[in-house]
């Protein structure tokens, strides 16, 4: 299994290009099931989760091709199976995103129920409750959700918690339902807005995406389209922290700084100098790094997907920072690895108290999830000596060639095969 080796002590300098957003590409690929026409997607990141979704679509009998340049062609004209099998779902929870499109178009679906994962229980009850309100019957048997409907109908759905993939699943299902669906307490994430833009290009009637109330008026059929996936705000944010933590100067190009407002504001409060352009930003890390508290919330607030990376930064702060995680109940496993590198962090329930100013020393560490892996690279960039990160497959699920991009900025980093 691959590992990543980082030798700390280099201030990163230079320019890095952001890839397409994994979490926007996943629902977009699921949405290609809503039509029999060809759909062209651009700016797909060639990361493991995207290739897994391609395999899933192919397994269902759809055509799915992703080229080296990140463009893809998808056509779900003939479907031979309406099932997302356990073998694929267990490696990628986002497979649940095919449930809404399959039910909407084919009125039937069998999708393996994703289990918990390292960061929390991550149930899908809100997805299922919403589909049931629209007239589906969802039963859980043998580890699968078996869903069917005589035809989905529009409904008023008050979602009890803000859920990103839940909002996406219900929005996709509703595009082909009979009548109007209202999703209240919907997620406002840029990935939801990107999916709505794609669905509109396919002929869907959607209003209010980007707000807490989304209205979808169902249509009889959707057509093919060409759609460009938005840049990955979490990847961009990860490189921003790389600039700040190493006291380097990094230009993060080809991203949408609007999507990173909370992250960049937080990094500026922590002392980084940031200048924002139209399609990117420049960050200069400065001493001292100020310890500032942060709490994760749904968009537009500070994202849970940047919490681990921010924790790495706070280990180098000039005081105490309290990091509160409100989205997932167990997303502090990286703290335990950072402690092994010399960080002073106390975790109590949903809060981590990070005492800054402790020099980190390189160590062999284990990645527990995607963003935790990234945070350990960031910690390794400022640690004395060598950090070797194991379980790099987590990283490969969502970051496109992160070690090459970091190396381009001067980091001493390599993949050990
Ligand atoms: N929740 C429920 N019931 C549901 C759905 C969600 O209780 O039916 C709870 C979850 O357990 C969690 C909270 O609601 O406590 C929010 O979870 P959400 O459903 O929004 O998460 P998700 O849609 O499964 C997406 C991203 C995650 C990101 C979260 C939060 C994708 C494919 N995944 O997950 O990304 O952390 O939203 O922003 O879009 C990552 O990229 O590393 C990653 C984990």
């Amino acid at each position: 299994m691959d590992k990543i080796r980082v030798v700390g002590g280099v201030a990163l300098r230079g320019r890095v290009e952001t890839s397409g957003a994994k979490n926007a590409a996943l629902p977009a690929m699921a949405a290609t099931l809503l039509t029999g026409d060809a759909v062209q997607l651009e700016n797909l990141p060639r990361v493991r989760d995207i290739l897994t979704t391609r395999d899933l679509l192919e397994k269902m009998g759809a055509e799915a091709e992703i080229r080296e340049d990140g463009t893809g062609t998808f056509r779900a004209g003939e479907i031979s199976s309406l099932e997302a099998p356990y073998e694929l779902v267990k490696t990628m929870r986002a497979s649940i995103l095919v449930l809404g499109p399959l039910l909407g178009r084919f009125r039937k679906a069998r999708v393996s129920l994703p289990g918990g994962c390292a960061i929390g229980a991550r149930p899908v009850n809100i997805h299922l409750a919403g589909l049931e309100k629209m007239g589906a019957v969802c039963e859980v048997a043998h580890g699968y959700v078996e869903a069917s409907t005589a035809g989905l109908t529009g409904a008023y759905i008050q979602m009890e918690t803000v859920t990103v993939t839940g909002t996406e699943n219900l929005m996709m299902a509703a595009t082909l339902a009979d009548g109007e669906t209202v999703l209240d307490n919907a997620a406002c994430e840029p990935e939801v807005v990107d999916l709505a833009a794609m669905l509109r290009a396919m002929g869907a009637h959607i209003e209010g995406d980007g707000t807490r109330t989304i209205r979808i008026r169902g249509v009889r059929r959707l057509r093919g389209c060409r759609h460009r996936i938005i840049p990955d705000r979490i990847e961009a944010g990860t490189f921003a922290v790389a600039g700040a933590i190493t006291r380097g100067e990094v230009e993060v190009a080809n991203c949408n700084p609007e999507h990173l407002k909370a992250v960049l504001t937080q990094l500026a409060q922590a002392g980084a100098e940031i200048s924002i352009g139209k399609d990117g930003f420049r960050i200069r890390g400065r001493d001292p790094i100020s310890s500032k508290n942060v709490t994760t919330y749904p968009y537009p607030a500070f994202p849970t997907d940047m919490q681990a990376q921010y924790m790495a930064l706070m280990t180098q702060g000039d005081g105490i920072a309290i990091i509160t995680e409100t989205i997932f109940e167990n997303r502090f496993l990286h703290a335990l690895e950072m402690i092994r590198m010399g960080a002073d962090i106390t975790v109590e329930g949903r809060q981590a108290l990070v005492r800054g100013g402790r020099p980190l020393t390189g160590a062999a560490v284990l990645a527990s999830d995607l963003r935790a892996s990234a945070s350990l690279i960031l910690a390794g960039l400022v640690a004395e000596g060598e950090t070797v990160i194991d379980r790099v497959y987590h990283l490969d699920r969502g970051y496109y060639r992160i070690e090459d991009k970091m190396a381009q900025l001067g980091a001493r980093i390599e993949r050990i095969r």
Side-chain angles (χ1 to χ4, degrees):
M1 226 179 292
D2 291 6
K3 296 182 182 178
I4 296 246
R5 178 172 168 272
V6 189
V7 178
V10 180
L12 300 197
R13 289 189 197 287
R15 182 176 189 273
V16 65
E17 294 259 340
T18 314
S19 297
K22 170 193 71 111
N23 288 350
L26 293 170
M29 288 170 75
T32 66
L33 291 168
L34 285 164
T35 176
D37 294 351
V39 176
Q40 313 286 344
L41 294 178
E42 295 169 10
N43 207 27
L44 293 167
R46 282 185 63 91
V47 296
R48 175 55 37 205
D49 276 5
I50 296 303
L51 302 178
T52 303
T53 307
R54 174 200 61 193
D55 296 347
L56 174 60
L57 295 174
E58 278 184 338
K59 227 180 157 79
M60 292 175 168
E63 291 167 37
E65 186 195 354
I66 300 177
R67 291 170 285 272
E68 277 299 321
D69 66 357
T71 59
T73 304
F74 304 85
R75 190 198 300 268
E78 301 286 320
I79 288 284
S80 51
S81 153
L82 298 173
E83 176 171 315
Y86 178 64
E87 293 67 50
L88 290 176
V89 176
K90 74 176 181 201
T91 67
M92 193 190 62
R93 304 176 41 82
S95 312
I96 192 75
L97 283 167
V98 300
L99 182 59
L102 288 179
L103 259 185
R105 179 157 161 232
F106 301 102
R107 302 185 169 189
K108 217 172 148 169
R110 189 165 184 267
V111 177
S112 174
L113 201 57
C117 76
I119 64 178
R122 306 188 73 180
V124 291
N125 57 312
I126 300 171
H127 302 229
L128 303 188
L131 292 170
E132 285 186 334
K133 269 212 118 172
M134 293 168 72
V137 178
C138 302
E139 276 171 13
V140 176
H142 310 292
Y144 278 76
V145 180
E146 295 180 354
S148 60
T149 175
L152 295 178
T153 48
Y156 173 79
I157 301 170
Q158 168 78 37
M159 302 169 82
E160 67 180 66
T161 307
V162 175
T163 154
V164 178
T165 51
T167 302
E168 292 163 348
N169 233 339
L170 297 180
M171 189 164 76
M172 289 189 281
T175 58
L176 292 177
D178 186 15
E180 187 182 70
T181 298
V182 177
L183 301 179
D184 234 342
N185 200 26
C188 303
E189 267 69 1
E191 293 75 18
V192 172
V193 175
D194 194 44
L195 175 64
M198 171 180 170
L199 294 170
R200 272 193 291 268
M202 294 170 78
H205 292 285
I206 302 174
E207 280 172 17
D209 47 296
T211 75
R212 288 270 171 255
T213 307
I214 304 180
R215 291 175 187 278
I216 307 115
R217 188 154 47 79
V219 294
R220 288 186 76 84
R221 67 177 292 274
L222 294 175
R223 54 178 182 264
C225 76
R226 177 183 291 272
H227 178 73
R228 185 170 178 82
I229 303 293
I230 53 168
D232 196 316
R233 63 194 167 103
I234 305 300
E235 186 199 22
T238 302
F239 280 104
V241 174
I245 197 171
T246 63
R247 284 77 153 177
E249 186 163 358
V250 174
E251 183 189 345
V252 183
N254 189 29
C255 67
N256 185 344
E258 273 288 310
H259 295 165
L260 279 146
K261 265 193 186 155
V263 171
L264 295 180
T265 303
Q266 187 73 27
L267 296 181
Q269 282 170 1
E273 252 175 47
I274 296 167
S275 53
I276 293 180
K278 195 165 102 12
D279 300 318
F281 60 90
R282 185 178 279 275
I283 182 160
R284 203 166 116 210
R286 282 199 330 205
D287 259 326
I289 292 171
S290 312
S291 293
K292 295 283 178 206
N293 299 346
V294 82
T295 301
T296 64
Y297 285 115
Y299 192 83
F302 192 90
T304 174
D305 288 346
M306 281 299 300
Q307 180 258 106
Q309 301 89 314
Y310 185 73
M311 185 181 286
L313 182 68
M314 286 301 102
T315 66
Q316 303 306 296
D318 62 356
I320 292 177
I322 296 172
I323 300 181
T324 308
E325 169 62 54
T326 73
I327 309 291
F328 292 112
E329 64 272 23
N330 194 28
R331 207 174 197 180
F332 281 139
L333 290 174
H334 44 277
L336 304 175
E337 298 302 301
M338 288 180 197
I339 291 169
R340 295 187 51 252
M341 296 174 73
D344 185 342
I345 305 171
T346 312
V347 174
E348 247 190 68
R350 296 223 175 185
Q351 288 196 320
L353 188 143
V354 189
R355 284 193 189 78
R358 307 290 190 277
L360 300 183
T361 52
V365 289
L366 273 189
S368 51
D369 73 88
L370 172 57
R371 310 303 169 187
S373 326
S375 75
L376 295 174
I377 293 186
L378 295 170
L381 288 175
V382 287
E384 185 219 315
E386 180 180 297
T387 298
V388 177
I389 301 150
D390 202 348
R391 298 199 188 152
V392 165
Y393 55 85
H394 286 300
L395 200 67
D396 293 336
R397 290 186 45 202
Y399 284 94
Y400 183 62
R401 294 191 175 155
I402 192 170
E403 70 274 21
D404 294 346
K405 291 188 183 187
M406 290 276 181
Q408 219 180 326
L409 298 172
R412 283 180 285 183
I413 183 169
E414 62 175 349
R415 180 177 289 256
I416 311 168
R417 291 190 191 273

